[in-house]
């Protein structure tokens, strides 16, 4: 039988994986019951917070997810960014756990795609990989960890391009935890925004009481 010191890391990873599945299921179930009007209201709050941030103001390019299925609403932010003349890009799935961001010039460039998630239409061919990135997720914590949906799309993209973006996660209050289970491949955020807080990477130590 291997010594306990050998078994421990694998046991920890297994427990982390099981804990992630349980937490993901509970949070997504709660999020599915969010009223659309409430999502839009939160979307306005998120947009105001982001537009006031220096990181956003300094960015020429905004990479953003197209909100659906109860996600923190981004449509107001996308429209405002287009109005302000910023270059705006949304993700399109191009293969298993593979996505790329493509520039859009108006809301007419967006249509249902992978799993009915809104994506840039095929005519949008200008790929974008740097700027201010707005990231969805199931849960975030005060150490800037992110729990995705299990597909690995953002983790894989951030592994490739993370050094070129300021990654900002959006979360309802119930999606922010003091700690969440995380694994080696999970990518961390630079900023996490809730309706009540803006948490930056340097703030994590102060908020971990």
């Amino acid at each position: 039988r291997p010594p306990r010191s050998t078994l421990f890391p694998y046991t920890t990873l297994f427990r982390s994986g099981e804990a992630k599945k349980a937490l993901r299921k509970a949070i997504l179930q709660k999020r599915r019951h969010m009223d659309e009007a409430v999502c839009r209201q939160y979307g306005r709050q998120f947009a105001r917070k982001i537009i006031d941030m220096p990181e956003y103001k300094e960015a020429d390019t905004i990479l953003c997810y197209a909100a659906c299925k109860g996600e923190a609403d981004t449509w107001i932010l996308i429209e405002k960014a287009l109005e302000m003349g910023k270059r705006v890009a949304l993700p399109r799935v191009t293969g298993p756990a593979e996505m790329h961001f493509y520039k859009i010039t108006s809301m007419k460039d967006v249509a249902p795609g992978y799993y009915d998630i809104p994506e840039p239409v095929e005519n949008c061919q200008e790929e974008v990989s740097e700027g201010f990135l707005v990231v969805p997720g199931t849960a975030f914590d005060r150490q800037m960890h992110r729990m995705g949906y299990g597909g690995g799309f953002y983790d894989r993209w951030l592994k490739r391009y993370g050094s070129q973006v300021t990654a900002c996660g959006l979360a309802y209050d119930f999606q922010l935890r003091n700690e969440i289970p995380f694994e080696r491949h999970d990518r961390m955020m630079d900023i996490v925004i809730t309706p009540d807080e803006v948490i930056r990477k340097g703030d994590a130590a102060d908020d971990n009481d």
Side-chain angles (χ1 to χ4, degrees):
R1 179 180 177 180
R4 182 176 175 82
S5 59
T6 303
L7 287 172
F8 181 73
Y10 299 96
T11 304
T12 301
L13 287 173
F14 173 76
R15 288 175 180 168
S16 175
E18 292 300 304
K20 283 179 73 171
K21 288 179 183 178
L23 182 58
R24 182 181 288 123
K25 182 178 179 180
I27 290 180
L28 292 182
Q29 185 174 11
K30 185 170 184 177
R31 203 186 70 185
R32 277 194 293 270
H33 291 91
M34 296 280 290
D35 184 87
E36 286 187 20
V38 174
C39 292
R40 286 194 296 271
Q41 178 184 341
Y42 280 126
R44 287 190 287 271
Q45 291 183 38
F46 286 127
R48 284 195 296 269
K49 283 180 181 289
I50 291 173
I51 289 170
D52 284 341
M53 293 171 57
E55 294 91 343
Y56 175 89
K57 291 177 180 178
E58 293 167 6
D60 296 323
T61 302
I62 307 302
L63 299 86
C64 193
Y65 69 93
C68 65
K69 302 176 184 178
E71 288 178 326
D73 196 297
T74 55
W75 292 106
I76 296 170
L77 177 65
I78 292 168
E79 290 174 354
K80 292 289 186 185
L82 288 168
E83 288 173 9
M84 295 169 72
K86 291 184 181 287
R87 185 169 63 154
V88 177
L90 304 182
R92 184 167 72 226
V93 172
T94 56
E98 188 77 28
M99 69 178 188
H100 294 86
F101 283 82
Y102 295 95
K103 177 187 173 183
I104 65 168
T105 57
S106 76
M107 303 306 285
K108 294 179 181 178
D109 289 338
V110 184
Y114 177 80
Y115 277 88
D116 285 330
I117 298 169
E119 296 182 338
V121 296
E122 289 294 332
N123 290 342
C124 299
Q125 290 294 321
E126 182 179 336
E127 188 174 350
V128 179
S129 59
E130 61 182 8
F132 184 90
L133 171 67
V134 182
V135 185
T138 300
F140 301 86
D141 69 18
R142 294 181 178 277
Q143 287 70 48
M144 316 308 284
H145 298 117
R146 168 186 176 268
M147 181 190 299
Y149 300 123
F153 288 96
Y154 277 87
D155 285 329
R156 191 166 183 171
W157 192 91
L158 283 165
K159 184 177 181 180
R160 189 179 301 166
Y161 301 113
S163 63
Q164 300 173 198
V165 297
T166 298
C168 175
L170 293 191
Y172 299 121
D173 289 328
F174 63 84
Q175 291 179 283
L176 177 66
R177 305 298 175 101
N178 285 330
E179 292 182 353
I180 59 172
F182 67 94
E183 298 174 69
R184 213 168 298 155
H185 62 267
D186 294 334
R187 313 305 293 183
M188 297 177 72
M189 300 291 97
D190 299 297
I191 304 167
V192 174
I193 296 179
T194 75
D196 299 317
E197 297 183 75
V198 175
I199 306 166
R200 288 177 169 82
K201 192 175 288 184
D203 300 335
D206 296 333
D207 290 334
N208 196 31
D209 296 330

